Amino acid sequence: MDTTDYEVNQFFDINECVPVREGYRFVGWCTSPSASDASLIKNTGNSDWIVDWAKDTYNRLQIDSYDIQLYAKWAKEDPCAKGHTPQETLTQATAESDGRIVTKCSVCGKTLSETVIKKASDICLSDTSYTYNGKEKTPQLVVKDSEGKQLNLNTDYTVTYAKDRKNVGCYDVTITFAGNYNGTVNRTFTIEPKQVNLSKVKAGRKKITVKWKKQAVQTTGYEIQYGTSSGFEGAKTVTVSKNKTKGKTISKLKAKKKYYVRIRAYKTVKVKERSVKIYSSWSKVRKIKVK
Ligand SMILES: [Zn+2]
């Protein structure tokens, strides 16, 4: 910019000449094109700075020029000098991955804060298996994040239980996340048939006859297991597919051998379109020597 215009003995204050640039604040005039702080003219009201100008222009051999060239010094204006404009962005956590809340200034883009939302990776039912007793089952649900902090029902998630949770079957508990969390997660629990016990075990020639009290309720049939090992390694299994049956003779056994026998009930139910057998726990083991 053409800056100083003077006639002999007639100066004007160059600082009265204030240029304007959007987004910048005018700092002052400089003698050097780099507009360094050192070259900033401090006493614009008198002619002292001419010496500096002469020094700065010496290398460019303008010492004898009557035109004085000055350079505007600018400072970038801080749009957030009076404070930032916070804007929050939420990335919800899921059961598998952490989320975060990032607060940035919507004007200058500066990150003002960042909070990690730990994933809700610890989802447990108080019970995953029950024995049928005709009563509705509602296991308690505990949802915690990966650091063990408990999530809040209705704020962070809601729970839906499958309907009619009385009979033998597999039941879904569905967790639907909300708020800072996203996604749905299923947990299942099972109601098993009541246990059946062997009421009589009788030895015969190379055979045994077992009897039990029939279980008509929530039972499709029975499974009898027998073998010569008390731990039932290599044991054989016989399925009795009617719940009305109360006894069974197992033959073709080895004479004079000791056998171990146990029984359990099962019910065939549909789980996601598939037929699945749900078993009771095993009865007490009975021991008998075959004749
Ligand atoms: Zn800002």
Side-chain angles (χ1 to χ4, degrees):
M1 177 182 278
D2 186 33
T3 53
T4 309
D5 199 5
Y6 70 96
E7 292 166 22
V8 179
N9 294 330
Q10 206 179 351
F11 283 89
F12 70 94
D13 187 346
I14 188 67
N15 256 15
E16 283 164 9
C17 181
V18 179
V20 176
R21 184 178 171 191
E22 199 176 343
Y24 290 83
R25 179 174 56 82
F26 175 64
V27 178
W29 294 107
C30 290
T31 53
S32 136
S34 67
S36 66
D37 285 343
S39 75
L40 186 69
I41 304 166
K42 291 191 180 76
N43 328 307
T44 52
N46 59 37
S47 61
D48 295 352
W49 58 271
I50 302 279
V51 180
D52 293 332
W53 174 81
K55 264 191 253 167
D56 281 344
T57 53
Y58 176 74
N59 290 333
R60 282 173 284 123
L61 304 172
Q62 289 174 359
I63 191 73
D64 52 355
S65 166
Y66 288 104
D67 283 338
I68 291 178
Q69 193 155 2
L70 294 179
Y71 304 90
K73 185 173 179 70
W74 302 100
K76 205 169 168 93
E77 200 82 72
D78 178 4
C80 296
K82 287 175 184 165
H84 296 288
T85 309
Q87 194 170 47
E88 199 176 273
T89 310
L90 167 69
T91 306
Q92 290 164 305
T94 66
E96 291 86 25
S97 59
D98 290 345
R100 61 189 62 234
I101 297 169
V102 179
T103 306
K104 277 188 176 180
C105 175
S106 62
V107 175
C108 70
K110 190 185 169 180
T111 301
L112 304 172
S113 73
E114 203 166 341
T115 313
V116 174
I117 307 158
K118 290 286 173 189
K119 59 185 171 183
S121 55
D122 188 1
I123 302 166
C124 278
L125 291 175
S126 58
D127 288 282
T128 52
S129 93
Y130 291 91
T131 301
Y132 172 79
N133 66 355
K135 289 185 180 141
E136 189 166 71
K137 303 289 184 283
T138 305
Q140 291 307 299
L141 181 77
V142 177
V143 183
K144 291 179 183 173
D145 70 15
S146 58
E147 286 182 336
K149 198 187 93 188
Q150 201 163 323
L151 273 66
N152 296 312
L153 179 63
N154 298 327
T155 310
D156 300 325
Y157 66 95
T158 55
V159 191
T160 317
Y161 287 87
K163 281 179 189 165
D164 305 325
R165 305 173 304 277
K166 278 183 196 170
N167 289 341
V168 170
C170 261
Y171 297 93
D172 275 343
V173 179
T174 305
I175 297 102
T176 305
F177 286 116
N180 288 347
Y181 302 87
N182 182 36
T184 56
V185 172
N186 274 315
R187 287 290 181 269
T188 58
F189 70 92
T190 307
I191 301 176
E192 297 169 354
K194 237 175 100 180
Q195 197 186 43
V196 177
N197 272 308
L198 293 168
S199 53
K200 210 170 187 184
V201 180
K202 212 178 118 194
R205 216 180 111 70
K206 290 189 175 178
K207 66 182 183 185
I208 48 174
T209 302
V210 293
K211 287 194 167 142
W212 61 91
K213 200 180 157 207
K214 73 163 187 182
Q215 185 162 286
V217 177
Q218 291 296 304
T219 301
T220 306
Y222 313 93
E223 219 177 73
I224 300 156
Q225 209 173 41
Y226 63 96
T228 53
S229 150
S230 62
F232 290 89
E233 289 95 1
K236 286 183 174 163
T237 304
V238 188
T239 301
V240 176
S241 55
K242 284 197 177 80
N243 65 10
K244 289 187 180 111
T245 309
K246 295 186 285 185
K248 177 87 185 168
T249 297
I250 302 159
S251 50
K252 292 179 185 169
L253 301 179
K254 289 178 193 143
K256 315 284 179 205
K257 270 278 201 186
K258 199 191 275 175
Y259 275 84
Y260 296 87
V261 199
R262 61 183 179 179
I263 189 169
R264 64 179 174 179
Y266 72 84
K267 190 189 174 199
T268 306
V269 297
K270 286 264 190 221
V271 177
K272 292 179 177 78
E273 314 292 303
R274 278 175 54 234
S275 279
V276 175
K277 278 180 181 173
I278 297 181
Y279 296 96
S280 72
S281 51
W282 286 106
S283 68
K284 277 186 199 139
V285 176
R286 298 286 292 263
K287 196 164 65 170
I288 190 158
K289 199 173 171 188
V290 172
K291 287 176 185 167

